[in-house]
Amino acid sequence: MTDAIAEANTGTTAVREGYEIDLAALTGWMEANVEGFEGPIDIAQFKGGQSNPTYRLTTPGASYVLRRKPPGELLKGAHAVEREAKVMTGLGKAGFPVPRVHGICTDENVIGTWFFVMDMVEGRIFWDATFPDVPNADRPAYFDAMNATMAQLHQVDYEAVGLGDYGRPGNYFARQIGRWSKQYLADEEAGRDPNMDRLVEWLPANIPDGDETSIVHGDFRCDNMIFHPTEPRVLAVLDWELSTLGHPLADFAYHAMMYHMPPDIVAGLEGADLAALNIPSEQDYVAAYCARMGRESIPNWDFYIAFQFFRLAAIFHGIKGRVIRGTAANSQARERAEAFPRLAQLAADAMERCG
C-alpha cells in the first residue's frame, strides 16, 4: 500500500471542481500581505491535503503553498488552518524547521474560506519507512535526523514563542484515553472489538506516574517531513492538524510506533530486516532520544506504544463507521477500515508486554 499512498499524495493536479480560487482576489491579498510578492500566479492543487485543500502557487520569482479550510458546512473546530499557521509561526521563531508563514486570512470574502500562505519547501519526502532510495551507509543519519528533530520540538519553550494557550497543559493521557474511548463506544454501527474493550478498561488504570507538557505534533512520521534533496537533514515538518500541548512521550511513542507498524497500514518497519537495512533498533532509537532529552530511560515504554495503537485504532474505527454509513470521502477509507482490528491487536500486544 505504501506505493499506492505515495502515488495518491505526491505531486499536483489541476484544481479540482468545487475547489477553485478567485486568483484576482488572492493576488490582491498577497500583494498586501506577502513581502516581495509579484504575480502573476499559476495555481495547481496538491493531490494530498484532503482534509484541508492545499495548493501550489507559482510566480515568476517564488513558489508558495496555500492551505485552506474546505468549502461548505464544517463541524465546529474542524479544519482549523489558523491553528496550523499559529504553531508554525511560533516554532519558526524558535528556529524549528517549518515553512515560513507569510500570513493568514480570516476574511471569507477573499476566496470563500479562511486560508494561510507559506513558503514552498523543495526537498524529498519518504513514504516508505525503510528509506529504500537511501544508500545503506546513509540510513542511520536519516533516522538520527528524525530523532533530533523530534527532540528539538519537545524542547521548545512554548510559552516563549507565544503558544502558551495552544492547548491545555497536564493530564494528557487521561483526557485522550477518555476522548477516544467515548468515540469508540459511541459508534455502535462500526461494531465492538474485544481487544478495544479490554484497552478501554486497562489504559486509564495504568497511566504511568509523572506529567510533562510540550508542543506535540500528533502525526510525526517520515512522510510528514521534507528532507534536504541530498543530505540527511530535515528542512520542514508538515501537517500540524493534530498538534497541541501534550505529553512528549506520547508524541515520541507515536513516531517510534513505526517499529511495530505493518507497512501496508502506514509507513512502518514491522517485518523489515533492520540489521540488513542498517536501520537502528528500536532500543537504540529510544536511547538516542533519551540522550537528547536528558532522560536515563523511558519506564513503561510499552504503555505509550499501547496507547498510541489504541488511539490510531479508534481513529480507524471511526473511519469504518463512516464507510458503513457511506459518508467516507477518502479513497483509502475502506482499506483503513479493514485495518482497524489489526491495530487493535497491536495495541493489545503492547498491553500484554506491560505485564
Side-chain angles (χ1 to χ4, degrees), residues 208-261:
D209 293 334
D211 206 356
E212 304 170 37
T213 301
S214 73
I215 301 169
V216 297
H217 181 274
D219 197 15
F220 198 92
R221 304 192 313 252
C222 62
D223 51 299
N224 278 335
M225 296 175 229
I226 299 177
F227 286 81
H228 186 278
T230 60
E231 300 172 13
R233 183 156 54 91
V234 177
L235 298 182
V237 179
L238 306 176
D239 290 344
W240 293 87
E241 282 182 82
L242 299 177
S243 62
T244 187
L245 298 183
H247 201 300
L249 293 184
D251 207 28
F252 178 64
Y254 179 89
H255 173 54
M257 192 168 64
M258 63 183 169
Y259 282 96
H260 306 272
M261 180 66 71

Side-chain angles (χ1 to χ4, degrees), residues 143-154:
F143 275 77
D144 199 57
M146 291 194 293
N147 193 292
T149 302
M150 171 142 272
Q152 181 184 356
L153 174 64
H154 295 160

Side-chain angles (χ1 to χ4, degrees), residues 92 155 169 179 301 308:
Q155 291 171 322
R179 172 190 173 183
W301 172 242
Q308 286 295 6

Side-chain angles (χ1 to χ4, degrees), residues 153-165:
L153 174 64
H154 295 160
Q155 291 171 322
V156 170
D157 184 340
Y158 57 87
E159 293 274 6
V161 298
L163 295 171
D165 61 350

Side-chain angles (χ1 to χ4, degrees), residues 95-338:
F96 185 81
V98 287
R100 176 190 176 191
V101 176
H102 290 280
I104 180 166
C105 179
T106 57
D107 181 357
E108 295 183 356
N109 293 317
V110 178
I111 66 167
T113 63
W114 292 17
F115 68 91
F116 70 91
V117 171
M118 57 185 169
D119 278 342
M120 176 73 195
V121 178
E122 302 285 0
R124 304 174 75 185
I125 295 178
F126 296 95
W127 297 92
D128 186 327
T130 65
F131 287 63
D133 299 327
V134 171
N136 265 30
D138 295 340
R139 284 200 189 101
Y142 281 84
F143 275 77
D144 199 57
M146 291 194 293
N147 193 292
T149 302
M150 171 142 272
Q152 181 184 356
L153 174 64
H154 295 160
Q155 291 171 322
V156 170
D157 184 340
Y158 57 87
E159 293 274 6
V161 298
L163 295 171
D165 61 350
Y166 194 63
R168 195 187 337 165
N171 206 28
Y172 178 78
F173 286 106
R175 289 187 285 109
Q176 284 283 304
I177 293 165
R179 172 190 173 183
W180 294 111
S181 295
K182 181 178 179 181
Q183 179 170 306
Y184 161 71
L185 294 170
D187 196 341
E188 297 181 1
E189 288 177 279
R192 298 286 284 270
D193 180 278
N195 286 320
M196 290 292 282
D197 291 343
R198 291 169 61 208
L199 286 153
V200 165
E201 297 293 328
W202 183 84
L203 285 168
N206 288 275
I207 298 172
D209 293 334
D211 206 356
E212 304 170 37
T213 301
S214 73
I215 301 169
V216 297
H217 181 274
D219 197 15
F220 198 92
R221 304 192 313 252
C222 62
D223 51 299
N224 278 335
M225 296 175 229
I226 299 177
F227 286 81
H228 186 278
T230 60
E231 300 172 13
R233 183 156 54 91
V234 177
L235 298 182
V237 179
L238 306 176
D239 290 344
W240 293 87
E241 282 182 82
L242 299 177
S243 62
T244 187
L245 298 183
H247 201 300
L249 293 184
D251 207 28
F252 178 64
Y254 179 89
H255 173 54
M257 192 168 64
M258 63 183 169
Y259 282 96
H260 306 272
M261 180 66 71
D264 64 312
I265 297 179
V266 295
L269 296 169
E270 194 271 333
D273 187 336
L274 301 185
L277 292 166
N278 200 25
I279 290 173
S281 68
E282 179 183 14
Q283 181 179 3
D284 288 344
Y285 199 74
V286 172
Y289 174 80
C290 288
R292 289 187 163 103
M293 297 297 294
R295 299 178 181 273
E296 289 188 11
S297 63
I298 303 179
N300 307 298
W301 172 242
D302 282 307
F303 169 87
Y304 303 109
I305 296 295
F307 162 74
Q308 286 295 6
F309 269 118
F310 167 79
R311 171 177 170 262
L312 192 59
I315 292 170
F316 278 37
H317 182 263
I319 295 171
K320 179 183 177 182
R322 292 194 291 277
V323 168
I324 291 170
R325 290 184 288 274
T327 59
N330 192 306
S331 61
Q332 294 139 16
R334 189 167 297 279
E335 289 86 351
R336 291 179 176 178
E338 292 171 354

Side-chain angles (χ1 to χ4, degrees), residues 6-132:
E7 173 62 27
N9 290 279
T10 301
T12 60
T13 184
V15 175
R16 294 191 284 271
E17 185 177 354
Y19 293 89
E20 297 86 357
I21 285 178
D22 182 337
L23 286 184
L26 176 61
T27 297
W29 182 88
M30 293 188 70
E31 287 174 342
N33 291 278
V34 179
E35 183 181 355
F37 169 80
E38 290 185 13
I41 298 172
D42 182 65
I43 188 169
Q45 187 169 359
F46 284 100
K47 292 180 182 178
Q50 292 190 43
S51 178
N52 291 322
T54 308
Y55 305 77
R56 178 170 182 146
L57 310 178
T58 304
T59 71
S63 293
Y64 308 92
V65 172
L66 181 150
R67 197 151 157 88
R68 67 183 291 195
K69 291 175 180 277
E73 292 294 321
L74 304 175
L75 293 173
K76 183 180 179 181
H79 308 282
V81 294
E82 68 278 11
R83 281 181 57 82
E84 292 185 70
K86 179 175 181 174
V87 71
M88 286 193 288
T89 299
L91 289 170
K93 296 176 184 176
F96 185 81
V98 287
R100 176 190 176 191
V101 176
H102 290 280
I104 180 166
C105 179
T106 57
D107 181 357
E108 295 183 356
N109 293 317
V110 178
I111 66 167
T113 63
W114 292 17
F115 68 91
F116 70 91
V117 171
M118 57 185 169
D119 278 342
M120 176 73 195
V121 178
E122 302 285 0
R124 304 174 75 185
I125 295 178
F126 296 95
W127 297 92
D128 186 327
T130 65
F131 287 63

